[in-house]
Amino acid sequence: KAFLAEMDNEKDGWRVLLAKDMKKHNLSADGELITAAVQLLIDRLVFIKALSDREVDKDYLGELAKVVEESGLSEDDTSWFNACKNIFDELNNFYNGSIFAPRPELENVSVSNKVVQSVITDLQPENSPYNFAVLPVEILGTIYERFLGRVVRTTDKRVTIEEKPEVRKAGG
């Protein structure tokens, strides 16, 4: 259970970091759009980490890190998504699922290269205390369910993460 709590907290940390940066670069974006964009981006990165940890495919996480860094890591650089499009297209063609398919909720929202790079860095094997090769699929499923039970709420000045009302009600 401690592992689940720790992983969930770390993912919330990534979610908050990404959501705040997305709001900063997309002032008109509402919580629903930011929730969808953050969720999809984290889904992609965690899926890529799982591939890497299980040595199923080449080191896409390392490739992403390199491409994002080459795109620039200053505060205003947000070109990482276009720079990484070929990697996502390759993964989409091979795995043929919706996770890497073109998705407007991610393509229409900017987030800084620097923030994306920090999440990728956290996930890389040398920096991450988690190795998805040794985690049972059930634990990953539980973490994912907890993650889906929270949403991003935005105002002009704040970004918060809250449990969905139906999750709060079900949990008592």
Side-chain angles (χ1 to χ4, degrees):
K1 284 193 173 197
F3 171 78
L4 289 177
E6 188 177 333
M7 184 66 167
D8 198 35
N9 289 339
E10 186 165 0
K11 283 174 60 175
D12 280 344
W14 298 333
R15 184 172 11 205
V16 170
L17 187 68
L18 289 165
K20 284 183 177 178
D21 195 70
M22 282 181 190
K23 185 63 177 174
K24 176 179 147 188
H25 290 286
N26 309 273
L27 294 175
S28 63
D30 63 11
E32 187 175 335
L33 176 60
I34 291 176
T35 296
V38 168
Q39 177 69 48
L40 182 56
L41 178 53
I42 290 176
D43 284 353
R44 285 182 178 190
L45 295 177
V46 168
F47 185 88
I48 290 169
K49 176 172 177 48
L51 290 176
S52 177
D53 285 355
R54 293 175 187 261
E55 299 178 355
V56 172
D57 215 324
K58 63 184 178 179
D59 181 18
Y60 284 108
L61 209 52
E63 282 188 28
L64 284 173
K66 182 178 176 191
V67 171
V68 172
E69 186 172 343
E70 288 171 355
S71 298
L73 297 176
S74 78
E75 288 297 322
D76 297 327
D77 289 330
T78 59
S79 61
W80 73 273
F81 187 81
N82 285 334
C84 293
K85 194 161 177 12
N86 288 342
I87 296 171
F88 291 144
D89 287 346
E90 184 179 326
L91 286 161
N92 185 46
N93 287 336
F94 188 76
Y95 291 100
N96 196 22
S98 65
I99 193 169
F100 293 106
R103 300 278 288 275
E105 62 265 49
L106 187 55
E107 294 171 13
N108 296 329
V109 174
S110 295
V111 62
S112 73
N113 295 9
K114 188 176 184 176
V115 169
V116 171
Q117 181 75 342
S118 73
V119 176
I120 292 170
T121 299
D122 285 348
L123 287 168
Q124 289 182 305
E126 59 272 21
N127 303 319
S128 176
Y130 314 114
N131 182 338
F132 290 177
V134 298
L135 283 179
V137 174
E138 298 79 23
I139 289 179
L140 291 176
T142 301
I143 293 167
Y144 188 67
E145 285 174 15
R146 285 187 184 183
F147 187 68
L148 290 177
R150 296 183 180 184
V151 294
V152 176
R153 300 271 186 240
T154 62
T155 64
D156 289 341
K157 297 183 181 191
R158 287 188 55 197
V159 171
T160 59
I161 308 300
E162 300 174 3
E163 282 196 42
K164 291 180 181 178
E166 59 271 23
V167 172
R168 242 190 345 262
K169 186 177 179 183

